[in-house]
Amino acid sequence: AILYGRESGLGPMTSLQMIDMVDGKPSMSGELMVSLVRRAGHKLTADTMSNTECTVTGTRIDNGDTMTFTFSLEDAERAQLVRKGSAWEKYPASMLWVRAASQLIRMLFPDVLISMHNYDPDELAPPETSVEEVAVSPSPVAPSDPSTEPLIEWEPDNE
């Protein structure tokens, strides 16, 4: 999780909190996806948000492309995400927001997610916790300093 987060300019603690390993693959949380898109200067807004449906619109800052995506509680039930006692039962509006936003982000802003396996872990196994907005501070990865890299000396075998 830390290494994959580093590829996206995230610090180790943010990576540990916001990137889950699902079946051995790193998966960004929906909140992290939203934060990265906004950090890149793009726009995401909830057009409608209720306990039964959420519609999100995204606009790219670079070319003005706009896209809208809607996710409903019916969609979540069809995908078997709603389980007794789950966050889907307790916080449906928040869960719908994250799902609609993450779907839209995959379609409109794939470049922001870069090397990440970009499925919200909730899509594979819903967590039993609530969804909270998370702000991600830019944490650029410093380029390696060649003077601190170990030297590997190699001489060809002349035999």
Side-chain angles (χ1 to χ4, degrees):
I2 291 172
L3 291 175
Y4 275 94
R6 182 177 177 195
E7 292 293 320
S8 293
L10 304 174
M13 295 310 291
T14 299
S15 298
L16 287 173
Q17 291 176 342
M18 304 305 293
I19 299 171
D20 295 303
M21 298 303 289
V22 179
D23 293 330
K25 295 178 183 170
S27 299
M28 283 187 183
S29 68
E31 296 89 347
L32 179 57
M33 289 183 199
V34 169
S35 295
L36 292 175
V37 165
R38 288 182 171 159
R39 181 173 80 178
H42 304 297
K43 185 178 177 184
L44 283 175
T45 57
D47 301 327
T48 61
M49 189 168 168
S50 70
N51 286 333
T52 59
E53 184 175 275
C54 183
T55 299
V56 178
T57 297
T59 305
R60 293 191 61 93
I61 192 170
D62 52 357
N63 62 13
D65 285 355
T66 299
M67 185 179 286
T68 299
F69 188 86
T70 300
F71 199 82
S72 69
L73 194 56
E74 184 179 308
D75 294 328
E77 289 169 347
R78 187 173 31 260
Q80 300 177 346
L81 298 173
V82 181
R83 299 184 183 135
K84 186 151 182 74
S86 72
W88 280 95
E89 268 193 355
K90 296 174 186 175
Y91 309 100
S94 294
M95 298 303 287
L96 291 167
W97 156 252
V98 170
R99 180 53 58 90
S102 64
Q103 294 282 2
L104 175 71
I105 290 166
R106 278 189 221 97
M107 294 184 291
L108 187 60
F109 309 107
D111 54 309
V112 174
L113 303 179
I114 308 172
S115 65
M116 303 300 291
H117 172 77
N118 52 11
Y119 285 92
D120 186 332
D122 174 58
E123 292 175 3
L124 303 172
E128 297 301 317
T129 58
S130 66
V131 176
E132 299 175 354
E133 287 291 322
V134 177
V136 178
S137 300
S139 176
V141 177
S144 62
D145 180 356
S147 66
T148 62
E149 296 290 325
L151 294 175
I152 299 174
E153 294 185 24
W154 177 77
E155 294 181 22
D157 213 13
N158 291 332
E159 293 179 17

